[in-house]
Amino acid sequence: MKTYKLTVFEKNGSKLLDESVQAASDEEAKKVGENMLAEKGYLDHTHRFTSPLGKLLLFHV
């Protein structure tokens, strides 16, 4: 399992969410990240979701 990082920001730059996600692959992690954003109501907030190698899997401004 790899550790991925999901961060959600307020417009002023403060963090609303900063969580780690465990997943076996980038594809699996991306689905988990999208589900977390939807469940918490953060799909329209600025967010980034990165892989352990720094690859940007999800990004929204």
Side-chain angles (χ1 to χ4, degrees):
M1 293 294 244
K2 300 175 191 171
T3 303
Y4 296 80
K5 192 75 166 178
L6 175 62
T7 310
V8 179
F9 300 93
E10 192 63 77
K11 289 189 185 280
N12 65 8
S14 63
K15 289 183 186 177
L16 294 172
L17 183 71
D18 192 11
E19 291 194 23
S20 296
V21 173
Q22 295 286 318
S25 68
D26 288 356
E27 294 79 23
E28 179 184 329
K30 188 174 177 180
K31 289 177 188 175
V32 172
E34 288 172 334
N35 288 338
M36 285 179 66
L37 289 166
E39 288 172 6
K40 296 179 185 289
Y42 290 145
L43 283 172
D44 291 327
H45 283 73
T46 299
H47 61 265
R48 67 177 175 219
F49 189 60
T50 56
S51 75
L53 299 176
K55 182 178 176 185
L56 198 58
L57 301 177
L58 295 172
F59 182 74
H60 178 74
V61 180

